[in-house]
Amino acid sequence: MKKRVSEKILMKGNEAIAEAAIRAGVKAYFGYPITPQSELLEYMSAQLNSRGGVFLQAESEVAAINMVYGAAGCGERVMTSTSSPGFSLMQEGISYIASAELPCLLVNVQRGGPGLGTIQPAQSDYFQAVKGGGHGDYNLIVLAPNSVQEMANFTYLGFDLADQYRTPVLILADGALGQMMEPVVFPDYDIVKNKVDHSSWATRGKKDGKQHVITTLHIEPEKMEIINNHLQEKYRDICDKEIRFEATKTDDAEILLIAYGLSSRIAHHALELARDEGLKVGLFRPITLYPFPYRQIRALTKKVDSILTVEMNAGQMVEDVRLAVGEKVPVHFYGRTGGVIPQPEEILEKIRAISIAPQMEKIF
Amino acid sequence: MSKSIQSVQCEHLDKMDIVWDRPDTLIDVPMHYCPGCGHSVVHRLIMEVVQELNIQDITIGVAPVGCSVFSYNYMDVDMQEAAHGRATAVATGIKRVLPDKIIYSYQGDGDLAAIGTAETIHTINRGENIVMIFVNNGIYGMTGGQMAPTTLKGSVTSTTPTGRDLSIHGHPLNIAEMIAILPGAYYVTRQAVNSAKTVRKTKKALLRGFKNQIDGKGGVSFIEVVSNCPSGWKMTPLQSNKWLDDNMLGTYPLGDIKVPEKIA
């Protein structure tokens, strides 16, 4: 597909990630079909082999993530994508990848759960995404796009962050973002300039007299703790440098909406409806869910009277919001689950209620 | 790296002809394996083959979970340690991005024939041009001697305290015969390491497997090695080697199961 770099293209979010990944020089993609992300897999199957990479459909998500481990261990730019049940299957492998510090890009186009759930969009894998997900003490960098354009942008960013920190990076999207079509412009990206040299640790054949080993086994507790301390130091560094967020109309806001991904767009619509009624509503959108913008949210508690967190789940990010806010202002929650998308009017209703009675909700 | 006792003792013999030596590709450290364990022999044979074929700098191995999890401490090639059962998925990932390198996976029976069965079958079915080495000693050694998929009928293990009952635990799994029918299996053989003669044959099989890969023959070279587990079987090394002959080979007969010439 030959397109001018600056050209605007109408694409599905899933396809935008695939196209951006190819433009970012992805060397290998390993995946397994699951709705609502299969367009990403299909796009890769049609494009990647003829554009300098390797596409392989694995026998399962378990195999796919371990293929990612093997290829990433060779220092190549690799990725996989899946949806919620498949992401659960990948957790063991992701824990290994985080421990072995292998750079790679993961994509979870979330659907409603638990269990087989539904194929409709949801945000109910937040805990799994931002608190590690598999066994052991580790975190992923988690990017939450809210448009097809950001699906593309964060693909480049995700690969770069993965290389920079030698860590897996997750794009946490949802079925709506994956399926909806929007215009997207693929930015200039210099693969050669952005290439990071991994030859000091990657397994590519013992050339320099030094054996390279990718392992996550450190049987002596003291050694395992050293690895853990190193990982934690890296995560602190990431928390210092990589927090990303977007604040809209927060300067005069009395009620602050906090939402990410698709729900941030719905919340933005609710904000406009509320402003039309004269209600002073602002919107804070975490773009990185890990590292989470605790400090930035805490700073806003000096300005606002109350907070309403909107999510497509039963209340997950709201726990991090409450951690940031403490008892400073009341924190309310509005969510729909199971693949039901909250409507702006429902959120507006909640905003109206809060504007009349902004007291703290009982959470325990 | 400190020299082993054997090599120090051998130093005064340096004026004599060397008729036996450790391959340079085998790291000179004491192995953690139990006395008499077949893993150390298989490691050595693989490294002899890597040295003889002069492929040390282009070979990448994949270690499993199990007793041979530390095999990268002994085999002096670049290696990746895989999650339990996933060695051939990891090997696939490596081979697909580095098709010119020589890739082998090394797995035990629990890893390859139980938890990793799906990866085993599909790696072979895709015809990945790699060498799969399968060490079958019919038991979970590292975790303390539990029943493996390849445990023989009647065998007492820590999870079959009254012996493997086929009506309860199922049958010993002949994975080599199973996968031999797949078009992606290029060369399938079953060898052993319980005698000088069987060790020599295993070496030949490994050599053939690696040569297949170098020659770019399409498909997996699958080399099963029937091995012993003196600790798990609760025997002396000598007893275990004899027990292997008397019991294992009835269920797991030695020899080539699929050779390219015969299917051509």
Side-chain angles (χ1 to χ4, degrees):
Chain A
M1 190 165 122
K2 281 184 183 161
K3 299 277 180 190
R4 281 206 343 270
V5 169
S6 58
E7 195 177 338
K8 224 176 225 189
I9 308 167
L10 193 64
M11 273 187 140
K12 282 190 171 191
N14 286 336
E15 295 167 341
I17 289 181
E19 176 61 28
I22 296 170
R23 289 172 187 242
V26 69
K27 184 71 190 290
Y29 171 95
F30 305 100
Y32 186 82
I34 183 169
T35 308
Q37 68 81 47
S38 294
E39 293 83 3
L40 211 170
L41 175 92
E42 289 165 348
Y43 195 96
M44 285 296 190
S45 75
Q47 300 273 339
L48 188 54
N49 288 324
S50 59
R51 293 171 69 184
V54 177
F55 164 84
L56 185 60
Q57 181 172 328
E59 62 269 31
S60 67
E61 287 90 348
V62 175
I65 194 67
N66 285 284
M67 290 172 185
V68 168
Y69 177 97
C74 300
E76 298 289 352
R77 187 161 264 197
V78 292
M79 70 176 293
T80 186
S81 63
T82 185
S83 180
S84 306
F87 199 57
S88 291
L89 277 173
M90 290 185 179
Q91 292 305 320
E92 183 201 32
I94 296 170
S95 169
Y96 277 63
I97 287 169
S99 176
E101 298 189 272
L102 305 180
C104 63
L105 184 68
L106 315 169
V107 179
N108 178 1
V109 183
Q110 295 171 92
R111 53 190 258 182
L116 194 52
T118 170
I119 58 171
Q120 301 302 324
Q123 296 180 321
S124 45
D125 302 346
Y126 176 90
F127 284 147
Q128 185 190 46
V130 306
K131 308 295 181 189
H135 61 286
D137 284 315
Y138 74 91
N139 288 98
L140 312 172
I141 295 176
V142 183
L143 305 171
N146 78 347
S147 65
V148 173
Q149 182 64 58
E150 282 192 351
M151 297 280 255
N153 294 354
F154 293 177
T155 300
Y156 299 93
L157 175 65
F159 278 124
D160 289 341
L161 291 172
D163 275 337
Q164 186 184 340
Y165 292 99
R166 276 190 65 183
T167 197
V169 175
L170 170 65
I171 293 180
L172 188 67
D174 64 71
L177 290 168
Q179 294 295 326
M180 71 188 191
M181 294 183 88
E182 285 184 323
V184 54
V185 177
F186 291 96
D188 271 327
Y189 186 84
D190 189 333
I191 294 172
V192 178
K193 201 181 122 212
N194 285 286
K195 197 174 170 65
V196 174
D197 182 12
H198 295 306
S199 63
S200 65
W201 56 266
T203 58
R204 303 180 67 85
K206 189 170 173 274
K207 275 272 187 236
D208 49 3
K210 193 173 167 286
Q211 181 197 32
H212 291 175
V213 174
I214 308 290
T215 185
T216 63
L217 178 67
H218 310 280
I219 206 101
E220 291 169 43
E222 291 76 13
K223 278 192 182 165
M224 190 67 244
E225 191 175 47
I226 289 169
I227 300 287
N228 270 299
N229 289 342
H230 166 70
L231 289 177
Q232 292 305 315
E233 198 179 316
K234 174 163 79 176
Y235 300 145
R236 276 193 294 277
D237 192 30
I238 289 169
C239 289
D240 282 347
K241 293 174 186 159
E242 302 300 343
I243 289 172
R244 288 165 169 81
F245 62 93
E246 185 181 69
T248 307
K249 299 194 174 165
T250 52
D251 285 346
D252 66 339
E254 290 167 0
I255 298 173
L256 180 67
L257 303 177
I258 302 183
Y260 72 93
L262 185 70
S263 52
S264 71
R265 289 176 65 151
I266 304 163
H268 189 266
H269 192 171
L271 176 153
E272 286 172 341
L273 296 176
R275 286 266 171 184
D276 287 348
E277 294 184 5
L279 294 167
K280 289 185 172 171
V281 175
L283 172 62
F284 184 91
R285 170 167 84 102
I287 291 173
T288 50
L289 301 181
Y290 185 95
F292 191 75
Y294 291 105
R295 284 191 303 272
Q296 291 76 6
I297 290 173
R298 192 171 182 82
L300 283 170
T301 59
K302 288 178 189 146
K303 293 184 181 176
V304 304
D305 299 329
S306 60
I307 287 173
L308 171 60
T309 303
V310 180
E311 299 177 67
M312 284 150 54
N313 58 43
Q316 299 193 15
M317 182 179 72
V318 67
E319 291 195 5
D320 281 326
V321 172
R322 286 186 174 126
L323 205 56
V325 169
E327 302 286 317
K328 285 184 180 290
V329 295
V331 175
H332 303 264
F333 171 73
Y334 185 75
R336 298 296 299 268
T337 67
V340 178
I341 297 175
Q343 298 301 303
E345 293 75 17
E346 299 167 20
I347 300 167
L348 177 63
E349 200 60 40
K350 187 83 178 174
I351 292 169
R352 286 188 192 129
I354 292 167
S355 70
I356 296 162
Q359 75 279 9
M360 176 74 97
E361 281 187 344
K362 277 203 167 146
I363 50 173
F364 301 113
Chain B
M1 204 165 290
S2 64
K3 287 187 171 179
S4 69
I5 294 164
Q6 291 95 319
S7 57
V8 170
Q9 284 172 340
C10 286
E11 268 175 9
H12 72 283
L13 299 173
D14 59 359
K15 294 220 169 63
M16 303 174 79
D17 287 342
I18 294 170
V19 294
W20 183 94
D21 202 3
R22 170 189 291 273
D24 298 336
T25 44
L26 197 64
I27 298 170
D28 193 1
V29 290
M31 290 186 180
H32 73 282
Y33 296 115
C34 303
C37 172
H39 274 306
S40 50
V41 180
V42 183
H43 285 14
R44 184 194 161 90
L45 295 178
I46 298 167
M47 286 302 105
E48 283 180 0
V49 166
V50 164
Q51 178 149 314
E52 283 167 30
L53 294 173
N54 196 23
I55 53 171
Q56 185 181 14
D57 60 348
I58 56 165
T59 297
I60 302 162
V62 183
V65 171
C67 288
S68 47
V69 67
F70 286 121
S71 54
Y72 48 79
N73 287 338
Y74 314 126
M75 299 198 259
D76 193 12
V77 290
D78 278 6
M79 287 195 79
Q80 294 196 20
E81 200 287 302
H84 196 24
R86 319 300 169 214
T88 62
V90 171
T92 297
I94 299 171
K95 188 69 178 181
R96 290 288 176 134
V97 295
L98 300 176
D100 297 334
K101 308 287 176 174
I102 303 303
I103 314 300
Y104 71 88
S105 58
Y106 186 108
Q107 296 174 274
D109 36 57
D111 202 85
L112 181 141
I115 193 167
T117 315
E119 284 78 7
T120 298
I121 289 171
H122 286 279
T123 301
I124 296 167
N125 196 42
R126 284 190 303 266
E128 302 291 343
N129 187 21
I130 62 169
V131 176
M132 286 175 64
I133 296 150
F134 169 39
V135 178
N136 174 10
N137 58 10
I139 201 161
Y140 283 79
M142 174 164 266
T143 44
Q146 294 82 14
M147 182 188 72
T150 50
T151 295
L152 298 182
K153 178 187 172 188
S155 279
V156 172
T157 70
S158 69
T159 50
T160 52
T162 56
R164 182 174 191 164
D165 181 338
L166 300 189
S167 68
I168 297 170
H169 307 110
H171 297 256
L173 194 60
N174 287 53
I175 200 101
E177 283 83 355
M178 270 177 60
I179 58 95
I181 64 163
L182 300 173
Y186 183 73
Y187 168 53
V188 182
T189 189
R190 182 186 288 120
Q191 304 295 337
V193 284
N194 65 330
S195 69
K197 189 179 159 195
T198 53
V199 167
R200 277 197 297 275
K201 283 191 166 180
T202 299
K203 166 93 176 274
K204 263 189 189 167
L206 287 165
L207 198 57
R208 182 170 193 166
F210 277 88
K211 274 183 177 169
N212 286 342
Q213 187 175 169
I214 293 166
D215 295 344
K217 304 283 191 194
V220 166
S221 292
F222 186 95
I223 296 146
E224 175 173 346
V225 183
V226 182
S227 187
N228 59 351
C229 180
S231 299
W233 295 357
K234 305 192 192 314
M235 295 175 194
T236 67
L238 280 177
Q239 284 169 341
S240 72
N241 283 340
K242 184 165 186 325
W243 194 88
L244 189 157
D245 261 335
D246 296 344
N247 298 277
M248 293 282 279
L249 302 187
T251 305
Y252 305 110
L254 302 186
D256 289 340
I257 296 164
K258 184 177 187 180
V259 285
E261 288 79 357
K262 284 182 187 166
I263 56 160

